[in-house]
Amino acid sequence: WRQEPWFDRSHNVFLDWLVSAGLVGLVSYLALYVTSLFYLWRKSLRGSVFSTPEAILFSGLLVGYLFQNFFVFDNLVSYMLFFTVLAYVHVRVTAEERPILSERRANKGLVVGVVVLAVLVCGTSLYLVNIKPVLANLSLIQGLTPPAQGQDGQSFVKSRNDAFLRAFNYNTFGTTEAREQYMQFAGKIAATQVIPEATRIAVASSAVSEMRKQIALFPDDARYRVFLGSFLNMVGDANGAIVEFKKARELSPGKQQILLDLAAAYERAGKGAESKDTIRKAYELDPTNPEITKTYAYLLLLGGKRTEAEKILVPLYGNIAAPDSRFVSYFFEQKEYQNLLLSMKGLAEANPSDVQLQYSLAAAYLKAGERAQSIIQLKKIGQQFSQQATQTSALIGEIEAGRNPIQE
């Protein structure tokens, strides 16, 4: 939970090659360094191609690049620099070598055939590797474009939906990204009530279908099942979401967020007991996660298990009053105003720019009977938020007159 939820690269080039190309691929990649260094120093010692300063310079470039690859992954720009150095070394090493068969006359028919074949191969590769992805990307961009001014909802949905479908039809390496974006688009459409229900259902069904295709391609990737489960839960298919989250959990049993998503789906499906048990399991995976700890402790409080809640909250916060709006509401209902104040203090301190939370802290002081502190808090609000100065002055006057003008 301290890191990003999904890693697509290992931030280590050598591990990347080992995972994607196996041991043979990794050895082949390392051979690029070994052979380059070999020729740099072999020729340098002979004094025929590279001088010693040149060999040192290019060796330093290669070794430096190799070292940084322990901590990053390659991209197009770094590859261009790397292969430019390799190409330069190759040209210098082979400059005086005679090409194989250089003294034999070429067969004109063979040359023409090779040229035609090369043109066909290059043309096909250009279309498949460059043109199709560009066209798919343009369609994806069109699908992500906000509605034009004055454009009605129905035409907007149709044009953007058609753009996404075109991106899928190109079937490029960008299809994965397009499907993820399409699911987000479908989620926004599903939540927009002004769009006809039939249209919302059609887009949602199409998005689910596309994500199922993605899952079929990568059945052991938990990420896509989480995407699908979250979407299904959002549109009301909690049971379908439970199926996807369960499968995702099998694939990634140590990820707490999947358990939280599963708990939410259980709750929506009316399975409260399963939801609470799932949150408990999420907490037990890593008790140091503050958000899950607060959620689990809150459920313990609701269940009347205050002592157990204290055991897990006191080490983190020094008391049972966790800085969380759920705890604020709980202590307010229970009329535990000192704990309400402690919880509200933590929330306000964590969100100093939220003026509403600052007012709520002033109200909490009033509830706890600390009228002087409430006035101090209102003065701070007036100083920090100048547009609130008039209102805070009026509230301070009410408090000084013995009234309680603000409520939690």
Side-chain angles (χ1 to χ4, degrees):
W1 60 271
R2 295 180 180 88
Q3 300 173 330
E4 60 183 275
W6 307 105
F7 288 98
D8 56 353
R9 304 290 292 274
S10 64
H11 286 259
N12 182 307
V13 170
F14 311 109
L15 187 57
D16 259 355
W17 275 103
L18 182 62
V19 170
S20 60
L23 185 60
V24 173
L26 175 61
V27 171
S28 300
Y29 177 71
L30 293 174
L32 296 175
Y33 295 92
V34 174
T35 54
S36 296
L37 291 170
F38 171 76
Y39 280 112
L40 278 169
W41 288 99
R42 177 171 175 265
K43 292 293 183 179
S44 176
L45 293 174
R46 290 181 177 182
S48 57
V49 177
F50 293 100
S51 65
T52 299
E54 286 178 319
I56 293 173
L57 172 63
F58 286 106
S59 295
L61 289 174
L62 290 172
V63 171
Y65 184 72
L66 183 146
F67 179 75
Q68 72 138 12
N69 283 347
F70 281 102
F71 312 102
V72 300
F73 53 80
D74 265 319
N75 54 56
L76 181 61
V77 175
S78 63
Y79 267 139
M80 289 173 63
L81 295 173
F82 177 50
F83 285 108
T84 297
V85 172
L86 295 184
Y88 180 74
V89 172
H90 170 75
V91 169
R92 289 283 299 273
V93 169
T94 61
E96 298 179 2
E97 296 182 5
R98 298 174 64 85
I100 299 175
L101 304 179
S102 60
E103 298 180 356
R104 296 184 60 179
R105 297 183 61 183
N107 184 304
K108 290 185 178 180
L110 179 61
V111 170
V112 171
V114 170
V115 170
V116 171
L117 180 61
V119 170
L120 290 174
V121 171
C122 290
T124 303
S125 299
L126 180 66
Y127 176 72
L128 294 176
V129 177
N130 297 94
I131 296 177
K132 277 184 68 176
V134 169
L135 293 174
N137 188 51
L138 291 174
S139 296
L140 176 57
I141 291 173
Q142 185 179 350
L144 296 173
T145 304
Q149 187 174 3
Q151 185 178 16
D152 67 276
Q154 189 72 9
S155 65
F156 164 72
V157 173
K158 184 179 186 310
S159 63
R160 301 306 185 268
N161 191 70
D162 289 345
F164 277 111
L165 295 180
R166 283 197 304 275
F168 302 145
N169 289 334
Y170 285 117
N171 194 28
T172 67
F173 55 80
T175 299
T176 296
E177 176 67 20
R179 283 172 173 153
E180 293 177 14
Q181 295 293 339
Y182 187 42
M183 183 143 282
Q184 294 183 38
F185 167 77
K188 293 177 182 177
I189 298 303
T192 306
Q193 299 301 316
V194 296
I195 296 174
E197 183 179 7
T199 301
R200 287 184 281 133
I201 292 175
V203 173
S205 298
S206 179
V208 170
S209 175
E210 288 298 329
M211 190 51 68
R212 291 199 186 282
K213 291 177 184 177
Q214 188 68 23
I215 290 173
L217 290 173
F218 303 96
D220 295 330
D221 193 326
R223 185 166 177 258
Y224 302 122
R225 294 193 180 270
V226 170
F227 284 161
L228 180 56
S230 298
F231 182 79
L232 292 174
N233 196 38
M234 185 195 70
V235 298
D237 185 6
N239 290 321
I242 290 171
V243 172
E244 297 302 330
F245 288 137
K246 280 186 172 181
K247 182 61 179 177
R249 186 193 174 197
E250 292 175 9
L251 296 170
S252 185
K255 194 174 289 295
Q256 287 178 302
Q257 187 57 49
I258 294 177
L259 285 171
L260 288 182
D261 291 335
L262 177 59
Y266 275 134
E267 190 68 31
R268 184 153 192 170
K271 301 177 179 179
E274 290 89 338
S275 177
K276 293 176 182 178
D277 186 58
T278 302
I279 291 174
R280 177 187 59 79
K281 292 176 181 176
Y283 166 75
E284 290 173 350
L285 277 177
D286 185 359
T288 64
N289 185 329
E291 293 305 315
I292 292 180
T293 297
K294 287 188 290 186
T295 299
Y296 182 49
Y298 178 67
L299 291 177
L300 290 174
L301 278 177
L302 292 180
K305 300 179 180 179
R306 190 184 185 94
T307 302
E308 293 182 34
E310 287 178 341
K311 285 181 181 179
I312 64 177
L313 288 175
V314 170
L316 285 178
Y317 304 108
N319 52 63
I320 197 173
D324 187 283
S325 58
R326 294 168 295 182
F327 286 81
V328 171
S329 298
Y330 174 82
F331 293 132
F332 180 78
E333 292 172 1
Q334 300 297 317
K335 299 182 179 180
E336 296 183 30
Y337 297 128
Q338 284 300 323
N339 281 328
L340 163 67
L341 176 57
L342 290 172
S343 188
M344 197 65 245
K345 271 185 180 179
L347 264 180
E349 289 172 0
N351 301 276
S353 61
D354 190 324
V355 64
Q356 187 56 52
L357 285 179
Q358 304 309 315
Y359 273 118
S360 295
L361 177 56
Y365 276 121
L366 274 182
K367 280 291 184 183
E370 300 184 24
R371 304 179 71 82
Q373 288 297 323
S374 181
I375 291 174
I376 292 173
Q377 175 64 15
L378 287 170
K379 287 180 178 178
K380 288 181 180 178
I381 295 172
Q383 293 170 356
Q384 183 179 355
F385 306 95
S386 57
Q387 69 276 19
Q388 301 290 324
T390 302
Q391 182 176 349
T392 55
S393 296
L395 292 171
I396 289 171
E398 290 288 302
I399 294 174
E400 288 176 339
R403 291 182 284 270
N404 295 332
I406 49 179
Q407 302 294 326
E408 176 65 28

